[in-house]
Amino acid sequence: MFELFVAMFREEWRIHAVLFGPAMFALLPALIGAMAFMGAFLVPVVNRALPAGDLAAIVHILFLLLGAMVGGFGLVGNEVMNRRFGQASFVAYAARALPLSEQRIFAAFVAKDTVYYLILWILPVIAGVALASPFIGLPPEAVLRLFLSLQLAFLAGLAGLFLATTVYGRSKGAFAGLAVAIVVAVGAFSLASGALPPFPPLAVYRDFSWPVLAGTVAAIGVALAVSLLLFRPQSAGGERRHPDRFTGLRRRLGRLPYPALGAKDLLDLWRSGGGVGQVLFSLLLPLGLCWFLLSLLAPVLPSHGVLLLFAVLAGVLASTMYTWLTAFDTLGAYACLPVGVGDLIRSKLGLFALLQLVPAGVVLGAALLSGGTDVVLPALGLALGVSAWSVGVTVYLAGLSPNVLVYDPRVLLTYLAGVGLPVVVLVVLGLLHPWLGLLALVLIVPAVLVVRSGIRRWEAADSAFF
Amino acid sequence: MAMVIEARGLSKHYGETVAVDSLDLEVPAGALYGLLGPNGSGKSTTIRMLTGQTPASAGTATVLGVDAAADPVGVRRLVGIIPEQETPPSFLTAAEYLRFAGAVRGLDGIEEAAAWWFEFLDFGDKKDVLCKDLSRGTRQKLMFAQAFLHSPRLALIDEPLVNFDPIVQHDVKEFLVDYVRRGNTIFLSTHILEVAEEVCTGFAILHRGRLLATGTPDELREAGRHLPDVFLELVRQDRNHV
């Protein structure tokens, strides 16, 4: 069991090291620690606009989402890895040839994720906050509580995702029943108490007591144990059949430069479990969270400030749609076809432009619902201009592997600087006068130039993609 | 005799590792040419360089008169390729993948050709199955079909037989021999020496990225030798020498 854990741990490191370079990836915890250190100094400033409790809740929710994301990647990541490494095989699969039960493999997998991301994310954050704590008046015991509670929030996300997917794998009806029961329970609690139910890891931070800690650990342990008991590996013999959708889609995308490539990407997105779920979890939910957080700042912002800031964030988030179009692509499939890296990037950007209807619709809806119809045009301009520029920077820095942005500190910092500076200028201009937000559309011109330069750059690179 | 593949000093380095070392190779039109070598000898890297999937570290390669380094997409437009690993897109069905490959190649009306391949390779019952759910053998059939969908003058095929059952292997070997008879060229990478001896009209033996020998099975037969024996002798000699 321990050997399996060590092999999985080493494998996780090597995957990241191969994807992002060992030195760069090793620097990531340092970068996270530095950002946490600097971010900690902003806490007193943010607390003036937000109650301290809300900020703690947001941080814990982010770690909950991180846990869910890591868990989700563990379950579907083989597709992404196949795309990057060809026919990828993992210790978890290889171990099936050994006298080990699926439950033991799964348990080792969970243990590996827990320790790996403790070292990669949670310890650096805590180290950064601990270093800053004397300057911001955070007592050492609060740092210790934060260490515990963030780890528990991460594990709650991981365990919750595993439980949800395990139940779903057993019975879609049971999954729907569980989802309805949770929604009803949360709704009933909220109606009765006028507040959302407590999030146990957050309670460990806010109101630490040994019973709360024990209860939280027990709840996570039960979720993981139930996942282990119910876990049933996907049958290798399943065959999913579909009628021809490619021909019709290709015809409908006839105005795009590469309709066949675009049709394939849309089918990848839809059939990989993306589509509605992807839009919901990667765009609408984060945007909903953004709207909620920005609305807390409404008292200190000028009129329509919330909508314009929301439009900027919508633009940045919308640029991640490019990641959707690359995540499940098996680039080895193009090795035998007359297409180059430039063709693939241009095709994905054509589809990306089409998909901008979604964030545009969201911004339009937000404007209508918030009474901001008089500034809807600058809001749309901000969203689309920022999105175009952000995706341009992404293409230049990461080509067809935009997930590199997350893990390569050098690329991440360049991206943050490249996107952050124009965004700050646009936010200031937009807050000075809403219609100045339309200037964001000017960003489309440098975005096109940056994309062209990026295509030249990635075409010249050794096509390790193939 | 016209050459469809000409490589001069073709090399590929990955850091300190030399995958292919100064390879000189000429493949005449109308040949069924076997590139032979043990695992890791540089066969797949050679095909990847010839088809512009990866640039050479040194040397030149011309395929059907097109410089593989200067115009890799141009080479892939002309030739058929079966890559080392069967990698059709996960979320297209088998039939959709052939339509996709046809569309990317600018072919219209591939339905008849696709139907022929489904029947010939006996996987018509899988045409609506997602590629990710296909067995390795069926994925290999699909990659085989896409390589010949546009009837290329030259096909570079990397270990095309390994996942096929004996019946399909037999049919495919007959297809390859017939395809060459019709005036086309096949560049076949394999380490199944019996197959190479049976179907190839010429061969090159690679080991540790270096060319050890070239020749034809007829020359060997005249000398009373068999390709597997010659191959083993040369590779073992080279291994001991190194």
Side-chain angles (χ1 to χ4, degrees):
Chain A
M1 178 76 174
F2 183 69
E3 286 79 6
L4 188 59
F5 166 81
V6 171
M8 285 180 169
F9 194 91
R10 195 180 289 133
E11 178 185 61
E12 190 85 8
W13 161 261
R14 284 183 182 157
I15 288 171
H16 286 119
V18 168
L19 278 170
F20 313 114
M24 280 300 114
F25 185 61
L27 276 177
L28 183 64
L31 177 71
I32 292 170
M35 288 172 78
F37 176 73
M38 290 185 285
F41 285 94
L42 292 176
V43 170
V45 181
V46 177
N47 277 346
R48 279 183 216 147
L50 284 176
D54 286 339
L55 186 60
I58 290 163
V59 172
H60 282 78
I61 286 169
L62 288 178
F63 273 82
L64 175 84
L65 293 175
L66 178 67
M69 191 180 80
V70 167
F73 192 80
L75 295 172
V76 301
N78 59 327
E79 281 304 328
V80 178
M81 290 298 112
N82 278 340
R83 164 199 180 283
R84 189 66 180 82
F85 297 112
Q87 298 294 308
S89 184
F90 300 98
V91 172
Y93 304 139
R96 289 174 184 170
L98 300 173
L100 290 167
S101 69
E102 294 285 355
Q103 274 73 19
R104 285 175 82 88
I105 297 169
F106 187 57
F109 187 82
V110 172
K112 177 266 296 176
D113 271 357
T114 305
V115 177
Y116 192 83
Y117 288 93
L118 171 74
I119 295 169
L120 188 69
W121 280 90
I122 294 165
L123 283 178
V125 167
I126 295 302
V129 173
L131 282 173
S133 61
F135 306 103
I136 58 173
L138 196 66
E141 63 269 25
V143 178
L144 277 176
R145 284 203 313 271
L146 189 66
F147 170 60
L148 269 179
S149 60
L150 287 185
Q151 178 69 24
L152 289 170
F154 173 82
L155 284 175
L158 195 72
L161 197 282
F162 280 152
L163 182 64
T165 48
T166 313
V167 172
Y168 184 82
R170 284 271 171 177
S171 158
K172 291 183 176 62
F175 175 78
L178 184 68
V180 169
I182 290 172
V183 169
V184 168
V186 170
F189 184 95
S190 304
L191 283 174
S193 65
L196 285 171
F199 177 46
L202 182 59
V204 169
Y205 176 69
R206 277 183 183 164
D207 311 302
F208 180 83
S209 70
W210 290 106
V212 169
L213 177 63
T216 308
V217 171
I220 292 169
V222 166
L224 286 174
V226 172
S227 302
L228 276 174
L229 285 173
L230 294 179
F231 181 67
R232 189 168 57 187
Q234 192 181 358
S235 163
E239 283 185 349
R240 278 175 287 173
R241 289 175 180 270
H242 292 276
D244 176 27
R245 299 268 182 252
F246 173 79
T247 307
L249 262 178
R250 182 189 161 213
R251 200 168 42 242
R252 280 188 210 103
L253 297 176
R255 288 181 184 276
L256 291 182
Y258 302 89
L261 299 178
K264 180 201 152 294
D265 281 344
L266 275 184
L267 287 172
D268 274 350
L269 186 62
W270 188 258
R271 289 176 180 168
S272 64
V276 175
Q278 188 85 29
V279 172
L280 185 67
F281 289 106
S282 301
L283 191 69
L284 298 185
L285 281 181
L287 279 177
L289 187 66
C290 288
W291 183 265
F292 166 72
L293 296 176
L294 289 172
S295 62
L296 295 173
L297 295 172
V300 294
L301 290 174
S303 172
H304 303 310
V306 170
L307 178 63
L308 296 173
L309 283 174
F310 177 75
V312 169
L313 290 175
V316 175
L317 273 174
S319 70
T320 63
M321 288 173 142
Y322 178 71
T323 310
W324 306 0
L325 298 173
T326 56
F328 287 96
D329 212 354
T330 313
L331 292 177
Y334 302 111
C336 48
L337 295 172
V339 287
V341 171
D343 299 317
L344 297 177
I345 293 176
R346 279 186 282 267
S347 155
K348 288 177 194 303
L349 288 176
L351 208 53
F352 172 83
L354 197 64
L355 287 173
Q356 292 312 289
L357 287 171
V358 178
V362 171
V363 171
L364 193 62
L368 290 172
L369 291 173
S370 66
T373 45
D374 51 330
V375 292
V376 69
L377 283 179
L380 283 172
L382 274 170
L384 296 177
V386 168
S387 176
W389 173 247
S390 304
V391 82
V393 174
T394 303
V395 166
Y396 182 82
L397 290 174
L400 288 164
S401 301
N403 51 359
V404 79
L405 290 179
V406 184
Y407 289 110
D408 185 328
R410 188 177 47 192
V411 175
L412 179 63
L413 281 175
T414 314
Y415 173 82
L416 290 174
V419 172
L421 290 175
V423 160
V424 168
V425 172
L426 285 169
V427 166
V428 171
L429 289 173
L431 293 180
L432 283 175
H433 193 287
W435 283 88
L436 287 176
L438 274 178
L439 285 173
L441 290 173
V442 175
L443 281 175
I444 292 175
V445 176
V448 170
L449 297 175
V450 166
V451 163
R452 281 185 186 164
S453 177
I455 287 174
R456 280 197 299 276
R457 180 184 181 202
W458 292 105
E459 279 182 334
D462 189 342
S463 299
F465 304 110
F466 295 123
Chain B
M1 188 180 287
M3 297 296 159
V4 290
I5 297 175
E6 289 180 282
R8 295 273 177 271
L10 198 63
S11 303
K12 183 69 185 181
H13 303 167
Y14 295 102
E16 296 291 307
T17 307
V18 180
V20 177
D21 190 7
S22 298
L23 178 67
D24 291 321
L25 194 65
E26 289 187 336
V27 176
L32 205 168
Y33 200 89
L35 185 63
L36 317 176
N39 292 332
S41 57
K43 304 188 298 293
S44 298
T45 305
T46 300
I47 287 191
R48 285 159 60 84
M49 285 191 286
L50 292 174
T51 54
Q53 295 172 54
T54 190
S57 307
T60 58
T62 309
V63 177
L64 291 173
V66 179
D67 185 331
D71 188 7
V73 173
V75 170
R76 295 204 289 274
R77 190 170 291 120
L78 293 174
V79 304
I81 304 167
I82 301 178
E84 182 186 14
Q85 290 180 323
E86 71 291 343
T87 50
S90 297
F91 296 103
L92 293 188
T93 65
E96 285 174 340
Y97 178 55
L98 290 186
R99 290 187 186 104
F100 169 72
V104 170
R105 289 191 175 282
L107 303 174
D108 283 320
I110 60 123
E111 296 304 319
E112 202 176 317
W116 187 87
W117 279 106
F118 280 123
E119 189 182 337
F120 174 65
L121 293 175
D122 192 25
F123 69 122
D125 58 329
K126 305 290 183 193
K127 65 180 182 182
D128 294 329
V129 176
L130 286 188
C131 292
K132 75 192 296 285
D133 295 334
L134 295 172
S135 68
R136 294 192 71 171
T138 311
R139 286 204 296 260
Q140 182 80 359
K141 289 177 182 178
L142 190 57
M143 295 310 287
F144 198 95
Q146 67 75 28
F148 290 93
L149 204 57
H150 56 303
S151 304
R153 283 166 52 207
L154 167 66
L156 297 97
I157 55 182
D158 197 348
E159 299 289 3
L161 300 173
V162 286
N163 294 315
F164 290 159
D165 63 53
I167 297 169
V168 177
Q169 280 194 18
H170 174 265
D171 292 347
V172 164
K173 276 189 286 186
E174 282 197 341
F175 168 83
L176 293 178
V177 170
D178 183 58
Y179 196 73
V180 168
R181 259 192 220 124
R182 282 185 269 144
N184 303 299
T185 309
I186 302 281
F187 187 72
L188 163 74
S189 156
T190 184
H191 52 214
I192 309 177
L193 301 171
E194 291 74 14
V195 170
E197 186 169 43
E198 186 185 339
V199 301
C200 288
T201 58
F203 65 83
I205 297 176
L206 274 187
H207 185 231
R208 298 178 199 263
R210 286 181 300 114
L211 186 63
L212 295 186
T214 58
T216 68
D218 286 344
E219 288 168 358
L220 292 180
R221 273 190 283 273
E222 282 167 19
R225 307 289 310 272
H226 287 288
L227 183 56
D229 300 332
V230 173
F231 176 88
L232 289 172
E233 191 181 304
L234 285 170
V235 170
R236 280 179 179 150
Q237 269 176 14
D238 192 56
R239 211 171 261 171
N240 294 334
H241 176 68
V242 173

